[in-house]
């Protein structure tokens, strides 16, 4: 009896086989559209005076920021020593072996910094309130982010660590585990994965961490920010600070079941226990994503304190 889920066989990265249109790209478009509509709704509701089309222009800047920042971070932080260092023109090259595959490999934290930098530049030039617009953006982003993670799931990428829980899923594109690892055989027998005794590698169920992230970093965080925190009369910038804390905390926890990048593994190891990257063994080994999330949490707490004190000193803020 099997104790795991099969990855849906009807899901394919391509929307129409043979054509260069992928669900991942479509999910990004849906994410941008939803975020834009939520952002515009808030701007109209607040009665913010703005030049015609400035909201659309602002979004063009931030989309460029997320694409450039996300891609550069993915290349320089998560692909060390890769071909991009000698052939940097391939960073944004959407073809592989003459086939259009789009731009693959994005970093959330790089995209976040790219958006923040692009937003600050735009708002400075147009002389809008940076904190006010960042608050509005923070309340809109998580719901859109949900669809980005669904795109990862459809691609069968960014899967989690091996698990014996019934929610574990067998991803066809997951890196198989060597049968020389005793724990791999133990897991296979426990969950009912069939394998050839002579096989050198075996595929094992993983946490569907993309779905965890889609729900908690996306829908759940959006519900909290939109319906609980946004209606409160907080200081400018406080909602943005809450987003930093909320996302950083949720992502930090989910990283424990998401498999680290093979090239990086655990960048901080505080435990002496043997900890293959495919398994959760100890909470004291940390990934690069967790380090970035910890910085987000600390930054969000500092911003909350600073903005709250400023609002008390200047009540109209």
């Amino acid at each position: 009896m099997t104790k795991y889920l099969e990855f849906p066989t009807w899901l394919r990265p391509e929307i129409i086989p043979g054509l260069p249109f992928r669900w991942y790209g479509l999910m990004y478009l849906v994410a941008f559209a939803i975020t834009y509509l939520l952002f515009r709704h808030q701007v109209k509701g607040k009665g913010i005076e703005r030049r015609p089309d400035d909201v659309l222009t602002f979004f063009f800047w931030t989309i460029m920021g997320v694409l450039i920042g996300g891609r550069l971070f993915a290349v320089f932080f998560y692909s060390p020593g890769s071909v991009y260092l000698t052939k940097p023109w391939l960073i944004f090259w959407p073809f592989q072996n003459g086939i259009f595959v789009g731009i693959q490999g994005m970093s959330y934290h790089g995209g976040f910094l790219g958006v923040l930098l692009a937003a600050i530049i735009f708002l400075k030039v147009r002389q809008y309130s940076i904190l006010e617009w960042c608050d509005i953006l923070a309340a809109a982003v998580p719901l859109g982010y949900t669809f980005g993670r669904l795109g990862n799931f459809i691609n069968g990428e960014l899967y989690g660590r091996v698990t014996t829980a019934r929610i574990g899923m067998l991803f066809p594109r997951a890196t198989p585990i060597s049968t020389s690892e005793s724990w791999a055989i133990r897991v296979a027998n426990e969950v009912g994965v069939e394998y050839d005794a002579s096989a050198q590698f075996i595929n094992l169920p993983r946490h569907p961490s993309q779905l965890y992230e889609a729900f908690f970093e996306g829908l759940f965080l959006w519900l909290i920010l939109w319906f609980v925190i946004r209606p409160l009369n907080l200081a400018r910038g406080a909602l943005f600070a809450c987003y930093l804390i909320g996302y950083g905390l949720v992502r930090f926890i989910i990283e424990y079941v998401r498999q680290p990048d093979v090239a990086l593994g655990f960048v901080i190891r505080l435990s002496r226990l043997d900890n293959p990257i495919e398994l959760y063994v100890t909470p004291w080994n940390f990934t690069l994503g967790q380090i970035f999330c910890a910085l987000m949490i600390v930054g969000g707490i500092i911003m909350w304190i600073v903005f709250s004190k400023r609002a008390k000193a200047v009540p109209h803020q």
Side-chain angles (χ1 to χ4, degrees):
M1 178 180 178
T2 59
K3 299 179 181 178
Y4 59 87
L5 303 173
E6 292 281 357
F7 184 81
T9 56
W10 51 270
L11 281 181
R12 295 287 188 276
E14 304 84 7
I15 297 177
I16 302 177
L19 296 180
F21 303 107
R22 293 173 171 256
W23 287 108
Y24 184 72
L26 178 61
M27 291 297 101
Y28 256 78
L29 293 177
V30 172
F32 291 144
I34 289 177
T35 304
Y36 170 75
L37 293 174
L38 292 175
F39 187 94
R40 190 177 66 174
H41 169 77
Q42 293 179 88
V43 169
K44 288 184 177 181
K46 290 176 176 291
I48 297 176
E49 294 185 6
R50 62 196 185 282
R51 300 176 184 85
D53 298 325
D54 262 3
V55 171
L56 191 60
T57 305
F58 173 73
F59 258 77
F60 174 80
W61 279 60
T62 55
I63 288 173
M64 290 299 101
V66 73
L67 295 178
I68 295 173
R71 184 63 182 144
L72 290 178
F73 248 61
V75 168
F76 293 113
F77 284 95
Y78 292 95
S79 300
S82 66
V83 66
Y84 300 114
L85 297 180
T86 56
K87 299 179 180 179
W89 60 86
L90 295 178
I91 294 175
F92 295 100
W93 186 249
F95 297 93
Q96 288 183 6
N97 301 320
I99 300 175
F100 179 83
V101 295
I103 299 176
Q104 298 181 326
M106 299 286 284
S107 162
Y108 162 81
H109 295 96
F112 168 78
L113 290 178
V115 166
L116 187 59
L117 180 59
I120 290 174
I121 294 174
F122 173 85
L123 297 172
K124 278 285 188 182
V125 171
R126 296 300 175 90
Q127 297 182 332
Y128 291 120
S129 169
I130 293 175
L131 295 182
E132 184 175 29
W133 282 56
C134 283
D135 279 343
I136 296 173
L137 187 61
V141 163
L143 187 59
Y145 185 73
T146 300
F147 292 88
R149 284 308 183 207
L150 290 178
N152 292 137
F153 178 76
I154 293 173
N155 275 354
E157 61 189 4
L158 300 185
Y159 43 77
R161 304 185 198 184
V162 172
T163 179
T164 58
R166 289 186 177 274
I167 199 173
M169 182 172 288
L170 209 58
F171 288 92
R173 296 177 59 187
T175 303
I177 311 298
S178 173
T179 52
S180 64
E181 300 284 354
S182 59
W183 62 264
I185 300 301
R186 175 183 56 79
V187 170
N189 292 332
E190 184 173 345
V191 300
V193 170
E194 296 182 0
Y195 61 94
D196 190 328
S198 62
Q200 294 183 326
F201 296 93
I202 186 172
N203 194 7
L204 296 174
R206 313 283 188 131
H207 282 285
S209 54
Q210 317 97 321
L211 300 183
Y212 302 167
E213 293 187 76
F215 179 77
F216 288 105
E217 299 168 16
L219 181 60
F220 175 77
L221 183 58
W222 176 74
L223 290 172
I224 296 298
L225 294 175
W226 188 270
F227 291 105
V228 178
I229 298 178
R230 188 175 66 99
L232 302 177
N233 187 26
L234 300 177
R236 282 187 180 178
L239 183 56
F240 178 68
C242 288
Y243 170 79
L244 291 179
I245 297 170
Y247 179 89
L249 181 60
V250 171
R251 171 71 180 272
F252 187 94
I253 295 172
I254 293 177
E255 281 280 321
Y256 280 121
V257 297
R258 173 176 165 173
Q259 179 168 308
D261 293 80
V262 175
L264 298 177
F266 300 105
V267 296
I268 295 180
R269 285 179 175 266
L270 300 181
S271 172
R272 295 183 179 180
L273 295 174
D274 180 33
N275 193 173
I277 63 171
E278 298 90 355
L279 292 177
Y280 170 77
V281 175
T282 170
W284 303 114
N285 292 336
F286 303 100
T287 65
L288 183 59
Q290 286 178 306
I291 293 174
F292 287 144
C293 286
L295 293 175
M296 289 183 70
I297 295 171
V298 172
I301 293 173
I302 293 174
M303 288 182 183
W304 172 275
I305 294 173
V306 171
F307 298 149
S308 297
K309 287 185 176 180
R310 180 186 299 177
K312 291 180 180 179
V314 187
H316 69 275
Q317 291 292 323

